[in-house]
């Protein structure tokens, strides 16, 4: 049985503005005050894990033990079937340039890699691991996903990261074209979040 969440204040252990906004939105129906890791001056630990869950756990634990408050972290990314699951846990790293992260560059890189493979399926999924960690070292982790295909060229200016090339299964708008509420209703983060709420926020709000 998962540990129930019962504290009034929660750290969102992420330095990614897009994720912070989405997580605050998902948590808005609960009586929980959220504070970002940046606002507390918490350092961003190195992501040395080799799975989404391992990285989510190390980020949430680092924040919770340092700040003495429970922390929620997200480790997520895009896995492309024809690229053997890449960029996967390296989704942020694929966007690194000499001038910081550039997701236009990362999306071009994916398109080039697919082009080099020739006539291959363009199926992909977003995966999200969410970890809730307590200062005593206890963790609860959940993994969600959303299936789709990759379009080219990019479409839409909403969302963040790889949203403009991701067309969810059965849809006709990319995550970059969808209204935030529509994306949040079906995303990998929403899937993981529903699992977390069912396990740890039983009987609270919403
Ligand atoms: P990390 O979890 O901080 O290592 O970063 C994961 C990267 O995956 C993000 O920087 C985004 O580029 C990408 N990513 C994760 N979730 C989404 C999403 O909902 N939309 C678009 N890109 C995402």
């Amino acid at each position: 049985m998962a540990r129930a969440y019962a504290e009034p204040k929660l750290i969102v252990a992420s330095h990614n503005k897009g994720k912070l906004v989405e997580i605050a939105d998902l948590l808005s129906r609960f009586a929980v005050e959220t504070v970002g890791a940046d606002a507390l001056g918490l350092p961003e630990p190195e992501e040395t894990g080799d799975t989404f869950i391992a990285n989510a756990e190390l980020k949430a634990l680092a924040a919770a033990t340092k700040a003495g408050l429970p922390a929620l972290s997200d480790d997520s990314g895009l896995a492309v079937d024809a690229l053997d699951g890449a960029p996967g846990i390296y989704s942020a790293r694929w966007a690194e340039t000499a001038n910081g992260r550039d997701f236009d560059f990362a999306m071009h890189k994916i398109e080039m890699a697919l082009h080099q493979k020739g006539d291959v399926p363009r199926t992909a999924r977003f995966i999200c691991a969410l970890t809730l960690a307590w200062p005593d070292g206890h963790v609860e982790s959940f993994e969600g996903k959303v299936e789709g295909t990759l379009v080219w060229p990019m479409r839409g200016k909403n969302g963040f990261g790889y949203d403009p090339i991701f067309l969810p299964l059965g849809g006709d708008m990319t995550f970059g074209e969808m209204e935030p509420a529509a994306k949040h209703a079906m995303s990998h983060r929403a899937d993981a979040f529903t699992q977390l709420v069912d396990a740890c926020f039983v009987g609270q709000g919403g």
Side-chain angles (χ1 to χ4, degrees), residues 19 47 75-77 91 103 126 160 162-163 183 188-189:
K19 287 186 191 173
E47 295 183 15
D75 197 69
S76 47
S91 293
F103 282 96
F126 272 125
F160 66 98
Y162 297 93
D163 281 343
K183 175 186 171 188
H188 47 318
R189 199 158 291 107

Side-chain angles (χ1 to χ4, degrees), residues 18 22 102-104 107-108 151 153-166 173-180 183:
E22 291 199 7
D102 178 346
F103 282 96
D104 273 18
M107 288 185 274
H108 274 97
V151 300
M154 304 168 203
R155 287 165 32 189
K157 299 260 179 244
N158 293 340
F160 66 98
Y162 297 93
D163 281 343
I165 57 171
F166 188 80
M173 278 195 277
T174 66
F175 272 3
E177 294 172 306
M178 288 166 72
E179 288 305 320
K183 175 186 171 188

Side-chain angles (χ1 to χ4, degrees), residues 9-15 20 33-42 63:
K9 195 163 171 180
L10 177 66
I11 302 170
V12 180
S14 174
H15 295 256
L20 285 174
E33 182 194 341
T34 57
V35 51
D38 269 342
L40 292 176
L42 294 171

Side-chain angles (χ1 to χ4, degrees), residues 39-129:
L40 292 176
L42 294 171
E44 200 168 3
E46 222 192 308
E47 295 183 15
T48 51
D50 54 11
T51 61
F52 289 106
I53 286 195
N55 283 330
E57 290 188 353
L58 69 86
K59 287 189 273 190
L61 272 173
T65 50
K66 185 121 194 167
L69 283 173
L72 177 65
S73 77
D74 164 309
D75 197 69
S76 47
L78 179 69
V80 182
D81 289 326
L83 305 181
D84 301 322
I89 59 168
Y90 304 111
S91 293
R93 260 169 262 182
W94 270 45
E96 294 297 350
T97 72
N99 303 316
R101 283 183 189 161
D102 178 346
F103 282 96
D104 273 18
F105 169 72
M107 288 185 274
H108 274 97
K109 223 156 113 176
I110 289 182
E111 188 54 29
M112 260 162 47
L114 280 174
H115 189 73
Q116 277 167 6
K117 294 266 177 190
D119 189 17
V120 288
R122 298 179 61 90
T123 49
R125 69 199 51 75
F126 272 125
I127 299 170
C128 172

